[in-house]
Structure formats: structure tokens, C-alpha cells
Amino acid sequence: MSRFSDNWLLDKVMFDYVQGGSCACCGFPHLFAPGGLEGLINAMSDLETDSKTREINAAKQSPWPEDMRDQIWGDRLLLRYKMKKEMKDYRAFLEEVVKDDNASQNNNDEPSTEDIQDAIPILHQFCTTQLSPYELRDIFQLQRSGLTEILKSKYNITSAYAIVFCAVVEQLSNFQHTGYGVDAPPLDNSDEELFETVLDYDSRIQGFHLNVAENIIIEDSEEEWKVDEKILGIFLKRMISLAGPTLLARAANNVADDDDKNSDDDGAEKDDGKSSDSASNKPSFRSDRRVARLMIARYWAGRLIEKYRSMQGQGVDD
């Protein structure tokens, strides 16, 4: 078993749970799920049909206690439900950006669904003209502990799933050691996949970060920062997708079927010969990694929104 693989994560969660890594006596919040475990898994809209079947079979053979397993799936669904309710806030901001720009050009047309794409060049100009490269770099940083704090404080999830999520974040910070391929589904021009490929981690200072600005050293005693406009563009496209229509993209059925041996869209990882998890009937944590990366993107989008509104004199809501 390679370190930081899904098998490692499965065992780590069990060990942490038994050792009291989460308060197991405080009463866990649950969603009403008349279909039990299968009902919870089938309610996950970002899972393909075949993926759901594999997850149900894997969950039934899981070494986790039944109550722990059901808590985890219940809070997986609850987290998605809460995050989906927030998508309208990102759309409202993007429409606001486009509307303000239209107003400044004496164009009072209300933005349509497609118009939020017009926010990309507007925000790009804001980032490169009103923020210094160093300020921009500072926005796109998040310590590992910050993710678990968001889960607990913002989404109020402190059950067994919090243990899973904490282990997933540790796995994500060491993702290069897993040998897994890209978690995003195979889609053309996937904003999620592009964001995943440029997301980086540094345990020493920055934590999770984007190399959106680099220091061009002229002399040892001087610093000069330059914006990487390609990486900035990738993030802004990802920011547009935060507005929906879906929380996590799904591969087309024919694509998912063709890729079944290597990926379950939101389940087993792509099998590149370095991982046997997809061939085993054990739970996978690909969907959790995708949610964690989505949470990172949302955190940075929130910081950019706050910076934009403060500099536009609009203030920021609590």
C-alpha cells in the first residue's frame, strides 16, 4: 500500500475515529434518508450510475462501523447541499461586475446567463492593474488547517466526516506521492481540471497556493514580482464555474463508460499502474478531493470578491 493512497486514507480514518479524533458522543446531525445508505449514495448527483453501484458495494464491505459509515455519507450529502445553496452568491457577484462595467460604458442592458463570462476580462484587468503582483500572490494562499476550519465553522460539520475530510486534506497536500491521475472528469476545456493541475502545495510557508505571481530576482537584495497571466486566467475561469449550473461536473455517460476501467468519475482513481485502488472493492475518496479543491477555489474567490468590493467602495457583507 503506497503512502497517501486511498487505502492509507481508509485505515487512517478508522484509526483516528477509534482514537477519538472527533467527538463521537455529541450527537451527529443527519439528513432524513428513507433509503438508508443506498439512498444517501444515490442522492449524490455528481456520481455516475456505475460509480454509485461501486460505492454501495464498497461501503458494504468497508471496515468502518455501520453508524460511522452512514454518518460519513450523510454529511457528504449535507455538505454538497449547503455548498449548492451558495452558488447563487457567486452568480450575483459576477453579474454585478458585468452590470457595473456596462453602466460605466453607458450600457444598461441587464446581464443574461452568458454575460457572466464577460466578468473574466474585467476581473483580469482589476487584478493586474489595481492589485500589485505581491498582493495578488497573497490572495491565493491557504494553510492546510484552514480547510478543516472552514468545514467546521462555516458548514458546521464536526462528525465522523470531519475526520475523513482532515485525512483527505492531508492526502491532497501529498497528492504527488499517490501516483494518481487527475481527479476531474474527462471533459473538453475543463475548468476544474485546469485548476487542479496548477494548484500547488508548500508545507513550509504558503500551504495550498497558486503561483499566480513570481519573484524575478534581479539582484540578491532586490525583488521584482510579475503576474503569471495564464494561471490567473485559469483561476478566473474556475471562478465562473462556481456560479453553476452544477456543483461538480459529471462526465458524459459515453465518456464515463469508456473510462470505467480507470475512473468512476467520482469514485476510483485513474489506474496508471501505480494504484490498485480502482481494481479493489474499497471506498474511494476522489469525490472528497474534488470537494476540497472546490472549497479552496471558493475561499480564494471570496478573498478576491472582498478585495474587489472594498476597492470599489461597495463594502463587504459579513
Side-chain angles (χ1 to χ4, degrees):
M1 178 177 65
S2 61
R3 194 180 181 196
F4 302 116
S5 68
D6 282 354
N7 285 331
W8 164 86
L9 200 153
L10 187 71
D11 293 341
K12 176 177 173 57
V13 169
M14 187 67 226
F15 176 81
D16 288 348
Y17 183 81
V18 171
Q19 294 297 315
S22 178
C23 180
C25 62
C26 61
F28 297 105
H30 292 294
L31 292 177
F32 177 64
L37 173 67
E38 294 188 16
L40 289 171
I41 296 177
N42 284 322
M44 304 282 280
S45 60
D46 48 300
L47 284 175
E48 304 292 343
T49 301
D50 290 343
S51 304
K52 293 175 181 178
T53 300
R54 278 191 293 274
E55 288 292 347
I56 290 171
N57 293 334
K60 290 178 179 179
Q61 299 185 42
S62 169
W64 294 344
E66 185 174 328
D67 62 335
M68 174 186 173
R69 180 197 66 191
D70 292 349
Q71 290 162 14
I72 289 169
W73 277 104
D75 279 336
R76 275 179 173 142
L77 186 59
L78 178 62
L79 177 60
R80 281 164 167 75
Y81 172 75
K82 291 182 175 181
M83 294 181 78
K84 284 179 179 178
K85 291 177 66 176
E86 297 170 338
M87 289 193 297
K88 65 181 185 299
D89 298 331
Y90 297 101
R91 175 169 293 278
F93 169 74
L94 294 167
E95 290 181 346
E96 169 190 312
V97 169
V98 176
K99 183 177 181 180
D100 289 347
D101 185 70
N102 287 338
S104 69
Q105 300 180 37
N106 297 319
N107 181 356
N108 295 319
D109 293 340
E110 288 293 326
S112 64
T113 302
E114 294 77 17
D115 282 338
I116 63 172
Q117 295 286 340
D118 294 337
I120 294 178
I122 301 170
L123 291 174
H124 187 280
Q125 183 179 24
F126 168 78
C127 291
T128 54
T129 62
Q130 298 191 45
L131 298 177
S132 69
Y134 189 83
E135 287 176 315
L136 197 59
R137 170 181 173 271
D138 187 59
I139 288 175
F140 296 106
Q141 298 181 25
L142 176 61
Q143 293 298 322
R144 200 170 82 180
S145 59
L147 270 178
T148 51
E149 181 60 29
I150 290 172
L151 181 76
K152 295 176 182 179
S153 61
K154 183 176 183 179
Y155 297 107
N156 197 29
I157 293 179
T158 58
S159 68
Y161 182 67
I163 301 177
V164 172
F165 191 80
C166 185
V168 165
V169 171
E170 182 177 354
Q171 182 190 47
L172 197 59
S173 66
N174 293 278
F175 195 65
Q176 72 275 17
H177 300 303
T178 65
Y180 295 157
V182 175
D183 287 329
L187 299 170
D188 292 336
N189 300 316
S190 170
D191 300 323
E192 180 184 352
E193 180 176 350
L194 290 172
F195 176 75
E196 181 179 340
T197 57
V198 297
L199 179 63
D200 208 346
Y201 181 79
D202 182 352
S203 61
R204 295 170 297 176
I205 302 176
Q206 297 174 293
F208 292 106
H209 64 280
L210 294 181
N211 292 312
V212 71
E214 59 180 344
N215 178 24
I216 304 175
I217 302 177
I218 301 176
E219 297 179 5
D220 293 340
S221 60
E222 296 184 7
E223 291 185 349
E224 180 181 350
W225 293 86
K226 180 180 179 181
V227 173
D228 188 321
E229 298 195 16
K230 180 179 179 180
I231 292 180
L232 176 60
I234 288 173
F235 174 77
L236 293 177
K237 289 179 181 178
R238 183 68 177 119
M239 189 171 174
I240 296 295
S241 68
L242 300 183
T246 59
L247 188 69
L248 291 171
R250 290 178 56 177
N253 289 335
N254 59 336
V255 175
D257 292 341
D258 291 341
D259 199 36
D260 242 4
K261 294 181 181 180
N262 295 334
S263 166
D264 64 3
D265 178 58
D266 222 43
E269 287 67 31
K270 293 179 174 65
D271 184 1
D272 56 4
K274 298 179 182 179
S275 169
S276 61
D277 291 2
S278 60
S280 65
N281 205 19
K282 291 186 178 181
S284 171
F285 300 92
R286 183 182 181 189
S287 67
D288 298 305
R289 292 193 297 271
R290 293 181 66 197
V291 167
R293 292 189 187 95
L294 175 62
M295 202 175 288
I296 294 171
R298 284 181 164 211
Y299 174 78
W300 289 335
R303 296 198 67 188
L304 184 57
I305 290 171
E306 181 179 4
K307 181 69 72 172
Y308 178 88
R309 284 180 169 163
S310 65
M311 297 188 71
Q312 298 296 317
Q314 300 174 5
V316 183
D317 295 333
D318 292 333

